[in-house]
Amino acid sequence: MTTEIEWWDYEDAAELADAIAGDVQFVIESALDARGSAVIALAGGKTPFPAYEKLAKAKLDWKKVTIVPTDERVVPLGDPLSNITKIAKIFLPKGARVMPIVPQATGDYKAAGRSADALMQDLHWPLDFCLLGVGGDGHTASIFPGPDLDEALNGPKERRALGVMPDPLPPEAPVARVSLSHSAIASARALMIAFTGTAKKRVLEDAIKQGPSSAYPIGRVLAEVELPVDIHWAP
């Protein structure tokens, strides 16, 4: 199976943010029209937040939109490393339902993953939209190289989230994570990757070429996606 990929290049980060916001707004509107609600997963990291600021200005029925993080650091809510805390600051004032999946820090990241999975089971699946980033090491969401990579990629299909320990721990956020599982990501009705930088672009191009046997987690994830994937990139 070859995943269909549409690649969009932009002049700069501002143009990238406009494009992401416009596409996500369209997906949410389509989900609201079709099903009366929308469930979307949004990535952390620096790149997408300007797009989230623009998206939040859209005239949508935000009360019918549920937002979960694609992944979360195992830290308390309000911690500077918490993805959902930053996302909530933008979308909660609009009336969206923003769902923390790691309510508190815990030393047992596997238990944090099981708790997140239980919360996720109550949402309607598949996701209407999932936005991914990509790391310089080829990780996506928090599907990192490390001891939990195989479980994140090949665990039970019905599992939505799990605890993961990156190895090595990223220096900018040296903590365990909870991540959406491969199957939760790959089943999304719409999937987008958004990132910046030429080094990461080379990593993603290599990962796509390598396919299911890729050394990079992002390559393994994309190889199993049946719907077209939009990739948005700026230098």
Side-chain angles (χ1 to χ4, degrees), residues 15-180:
E15 195 180 296
L16 174 70
D18 282 339
I20 296 168
D23 280 14
V24 182
Q25 180 180 344
F26 175 77
V27 171
I28 293 172
E29 286 170 344
S30 301
L32 293 177
D33 284 348
R35 289 173 289 283
S37 65
V39 180
I40 65 172
L42 297 181
K46 293 188 188 78
T47 300
F49 276 86
Y52 300 162
E53 300 275 6
K54 290 172 186 290
L55 175 62
K57 296 185 175 108
K59 288 183 168 41
L60 292 165
D61 191 348
W62 285 106
K63 288 186 174 55
K64 294 179 179 171
V65 179
T66 298
I67 301 171
V68 299
T70 57
D71 60 311
E72 183 59 288
R73 285 81 177 258
V74 182
V75 294
L77 280 172
D79 188 288
L81 291 179
S82 166
N83 286 331
I84 203 66
T85 297
K86 294 185 195 121
I87 290 168
K89 279 180 184 157
I90 297 172
F91 293 105
L92 268 184
K94 299 295 170 182
R97 178 190 178 203
V98 181
M99 195 168 144
I101 58 170
V102 179
Q104 61 201 34
T106 169
D108 186 346
Y109 73 95
K110 294 278 196 182
R114 289 191 293 274
S115 165
D117 182 55
L119 285 169
M120 294 275 203
Q121 296 292 342
D122 290 338
L123 301 175
H124 88 62
W125 289 85
L127 293 168
D128 293 298
F129 174 77
C130 181
L131 174 64
L132 297 174
V134 59
D137 59 358
H139 81 267
T140 192
S142 277
I143 303 178
F144 275 91
D148 305 297
L149 177 61
D150 185 65
E151 194 179 352
L153 290 171
N154 303 312
K157 284 268 188 279
E158 63 277 6
R159 182 184 289 149
R160 307 302 184 195
L162 73 160
V164 291
M165 182 66 76
D167 183 17
L169 280 170
E172 73 280 4
V175 293
R177 318 294 173 98
V178 166
S179 181
L180 287 181

